[in-house]
Amino acid sequence: MKPEIIRTVSPLHIGQFMFVRIETESGITGYGEAGIWGHIEAAATVIARFAEYLVGKRAFDIEHHWNVMHRFSYFQGMAINAGISAIDIALWDIKGKALGVPIYELLGGACRTKARVYGHIYDSTIEKVLEECRRKMDMGFTAFGHINPFLDEGVDKVYFKTHIKKMEDAIENVKKMRAVVGDKVDLLVELHRRLTPAEAITFCNGIKDTCPMLVEDPIRPENADAMARVADRIAVPIGTGERFSTIYEFQALLSRNALEYARVDVAVCGGITGARKVAAMAEAHHVQVVPHNPLSPIGLAACLQVAAAIPNFAIQEYSTGFEAGVFETTATHLGSDIVDYVPLPKDGFVDIPSGPGLGVNLVNNAQEIRPALVQPIKMRPHRDGFVVDQ
């Protein structure tokens, strides 16, 4: 067949999302998404820069392009790798569309046709969190994530609690969640890197009787040795990796037995190509994959294509909230109004898109529906004048 040659590579800043649209000379369009939502304009600059290299090249040479973009000039990092991720996803989308198959068929075929999902729950009071637990149970979800026992209070509210109060309140909140959902729902407890190793050990051991599926990012993820130290001293599994932009960061934690669930972000860690590499490493360590996606249905579709093709997939994040960067829970997937298809949960699972490529496309007027939005730089203050991770 005639090779698909890349004609244009265009970043698209739509609402709180950064996409790339890649078009070939034969008229095939592929879409990808960059996951660096906090520094979204930086990803656009990276995409435009790599367009200089990609235009005129064969779209099917995905692994080759992935290596060129990663190895060029020796520099990597979150913004660069988020741009690479978006481009990689779009190239897989083009290849699937050109060959008339979903991406998972190009990755070895489907291991599964459905993916279990967990919905987001967040609020500023435990009473509202428990109310949302009941609502989402009625919607059929069998797992809740982004469910924060320290609560999602506003960044304008000054924070301070004694150590014992901080620990006891959060531990009691998890017990209240478990009492409401019983054994019908798995809890993926979100800590959002807000604890020190000492606090993480105390908290995690305090909730072991509630049997959480995992505790996500109990501490800041940069130090693999520190995460391993926590993992060695707690009785609940750790999920981490959503902020990792290279496969090597995952390797560092896997080699230290520092996680049981790899939270690979397909839109940050090298796209579908990068996620497959992480999944293979995790499989060798008997670690399961829980793809991270606080993004649009384009990002969700990329995750689901990977989930279909790997044996060690566990569950998929399904973003019900975070509109305009605000922690408010919704009933529908974030960004549902700018795509032509959204997989809908039924009994806790979604069907994996089986159309060509990703199986999900941006609608033509997406930029009109959601004007460009940039998240302001702001952190919650501590009473002592410093800042609080949350």
Side-chain angles (χ1 to χ4, degrees):
M1 61 181 294
K2 185 179 178 181
E4 292 292 337
I5 304 300
I6 297 171
R7 182 167 63 86
T8 62
V9 179
S10 307
L12 301 174
H13 189 171
I14 298 173
Q16 69 203 72
F17 313 113
M18 179 59 65
F19 302 103
V20 64
R21 180 176 59 217
I22 300 180
E23 298 174 325
T24 69
E25 291 181 353
S26 69
I28 296 176
T29 299
Y31 295 104
E33 185 165 6
I36 186 172
W37 49 267
H39 300 281
I40 194 166
E41 292 173 309
T45 300
V46 171
I47 290 166
R49 172 70 166 138
F50 281 128
E52 300 172 20
Y53 158 74
L54 289 164
V55 170
K57 301 288 195 307
R58 284 166 41 94
F60 281 18
D61 296 342
I62 298 173
E63 180 71 30
H64 183 84
H65 299 325
W66 193 90
N67 274 275
V68 169
M69 290 185 291
H70 273 98
R71 295 178 181 219
F72 165 72
S73 82
Y74 309 106
F75 293 101
Q76 294 194 52
M78 187 68 76
I80 293 171
N81 291 5
I84 293 172
S85 299
I87 290 167
D88 182 85
I89 294 166
L91 292 178
W92 280 107
D93 191 27
I94 286 170
K95 195 165 191 175
K97 287 172 176 173
L99 299 176
V101 296
I103 291 169
Y104 63 72
E105 292 288 9
L106 307 176
L107 302 176
C111 292
R112 57 186 58 80
T113 58
K114 297 179 183 294
R116 190 181 179 203
V117 296
Y118 69 85
H120 283 187
I121 293 180
Y122 22 66
D123 219 305
S124 59
T125 69
I126 187 60
E127 291 75 22
K128 290 181 179 179
V129 169
L130 299 179
E131 289 175 10
E132 188 62 24
C133 284
R134 296 184 182 96
R135 277 193 291 270
K136 281 200 163 51
M137 288 175 71
D138 291 340
M139 293 169 62
F141 283 97
T142 64
F144 303 149
H146 212 302
I147 191 162
N148 183 355
F150 294 91
L151 305 175
D152 291 296
E153 298 172 325
V155 296
D156 295 323
K157 187 176 181 180
V158 176
Y159 180 81
F160 172 74
K161 283 186 179 182
T162 61
H163 172 78
I164 187 169
K165 182 67 171 171
K166 183 177 181 180
M167 296 294 104
E168 285 186 340
D169 285 355
I171 291 167
E172 183 62 25
N173 284 342
V174 178
K175 292 179 178 179
K176 289 177 180 178
M177 296 170 193
R178 177 55 70 201
V180 166
V181 304
D183 61 1
K184 297 181 176 64
V185 169
D186 284 315
L187 299 176
L188 291 80
V189 178
E190 171 70 87
L191 300 185
H192 250 159
R193 84 232 186 271
R194 69 184 296 158
L195 302 181
T196 65
E199 291 172 332
I201 292 166
T202 300
F203 169 78
C204 290
N205 287 333
I207 66 166
K208 63 182 180 180
D209 291 342
T210 67
C211 198
M213 184 173 176
L214 59 85
V215 171
E216 182 177 355
D217 284 344
I219 66 172
R220 292 176 62 90
E222 298 94 340
N223 190 312
D225 289 327
M227 191 71 77
R229 191 166 82 239
V230 172
D232 190 51
R233 289 165 170 77
I234 64 176
V236 296
I238 288 177
T240 190
E242 68 180 50
R243 293 172 181 82
F244 292 170
S245 61
T246 70
I247 60 176
Y248 311 108
E249 292 161 289
F250 280 99
Q251 189 275 334
L253 265 71
L254 289 165
S255 67
R256 290 166 171 79
N257 298 318
L259 76 167
E260 297 298 335
Y261 293 94
R263 297 282 283 127
V264 62
D265 191 317
V266 179
V268 167
C269 192
I272 290 170
T273 300
R276 283 279 292 178
K277 295 173 189 283
V278 172
M281 287 193 295
E283 182 184 359
H285 285 80
H286 294 288
V287 166
Q288 290 189 289
V289 174
V290 179
H292 177 249
N293 184 58
L295 305 173
S296 82
I298 295 290
L300 173 66
C303 291
L304 292 175
Q305 294 297 324
V306 173
I310 62 174
N312 54 329
F313 167 78
I315 195 167
Q316 172 61 50
E317 181 171 9
Y318 193 88
S319 187
T320 50
F322 202 48
E323 286 284 352
V326 178
F327 286 127
E328 292 182 358
T329 305
T330 60
T332 57
H333 195 285
L334 177 65
S336 292
D337 55 344
I338 57 172
V339 294
D340 59 3
Y341 171 67
V342 182
L344 299 178
K346 182 179 180 182
D347 299 326
F349 290 78
V350 298
D351 291 331
I352 292 170
S354 58
L358 288 172
V360 176
N361 299 281
L362 290 174
V363 297
N364 291 332
N365 61 337
Q367 289 177 296
E368 298 174 13
I369 296 171
R370 289 183 178 241
L373 179 68
V374 176
Q375 183 175 354
I377 299 173
K378 200 169 189 180
M379 289 192 73
R380 187 177 185 182
H382 192 275
R383 187 185 292 177
D384 69 3
F386 194 51
V387 294
V388 178
D389 286 312
Q390 73 168 46

